[in-house]
Amino acid sequence: MTRDVVVPGLVLVEDFISEEEHKRLWDLFGADDAPWEESLSRRVQHYGIPFNYRTLMLDYNRAVNPIPAELGEISERMIGFANKRRESAEIAGDDTVVKRSKGMPAFALGQLTVNEYEPGQGI
């Protein structure tokens, strides 16, 4: 089961969005005019700073769609969660987090990638 898989640094937050938010996101990203790219083995949408799958880095030279304004409340909640998690790790002395975040500003949302995986399709 995926639930039993441990990935260092990955945090699964269940029920982070409400059913109503889920429907709004589904309508937004699943719309017929959504900007799907189909150059991978799956469909993907990029907003903000896009990820370059060839270099495995952010691609600051490529213009893509801005992060949708409809994500305002959800993105603020995500940013707040990430900042609180970092602060509590620093207080607890989690060396890995502290080393990575030393001198970094609070988290901000600058990139959003939406992936569509068909049933049975691996990540």
Side-chain angles (χ1 to χ4, degrees), residues 50-62:
F51 184 77
N52 183 317
Y53 294 96
R54 188 177 45 77
T55 63
L56 301 178
M57 298 180 73
L58 295 178
D59 188 349
Y60 294 96
N61 297 315
R62 194 171 122 215

Side-chain angles (χ1 to χ4, degrees), residues 4-6 14 18 25 30 43 57 61-62 84 98 109:
D4 300 323
V5 175
V6 176
E14 296 190 35
S18 68
L25 293 172
R43 294 195 321 165
M57 298 180 73
N61 297 315
R62 194 171 122 215
K84 284 180 188 168
V98 172
L109 188 62

Side-chain angles (χ1 to χ4, degrees), residues 6-66:
V6 176
V7 178
L10 177 69
V11 177
L12 173 63
V13 182
E14 296 190 35
D15 301 320
F16 188 80
I17 61 171
S18 68
E19 289 291 330
E20 181 182 309
E21 289 170 326
H22 178 267
K23 176 161 180 11
R24 286 197 323 255
L25 293 172
W26 186 264
D27 291 345
L28 176 67
F29 297 118
D32 289 337
D33 61 346
W36 290 107
E37 294 179 27
E38 300 187 27
S39 59
L40 301 171
S41 62
R42 63 188 178 281
R43 294 195 321 165
V44 63
Q45 296 177 40
H46 292 282
Y47 298 90
I49 304 165
F51 184 77
N52 183 317
Y53 294 96
R54 188 177 45 77
T55 63
L56 301 178
M57 298 180 73
L58 295 178
D59 188 349
Y60 294 96
N61 297 315
R62 194 171 122 215
V64 294
N65 301 309

Side-chain angles (χ1 to χ4, degrees), residues 2-17 77-78 80-89 94 96-97 100 107:
T2 304
R3 176 166 281 154
D4 300 323
V5 175
V6 176
V7 178
L10 177 69
V11 177
L12 173 63
V13 182
E14 296 190 35
D15 301 320
F16 188 80
I17 61 171
R77 217 166 50 237
M78 289 169 43
F81 177 84
N83 285 322
K84 284 180 188 168
R85 183 159 171 77
R86 183 173 74 180
E87 289 168 13
S88 55
D94 182 336
T96 305
V97 173
R100 280 193 213 138
F107 289 110

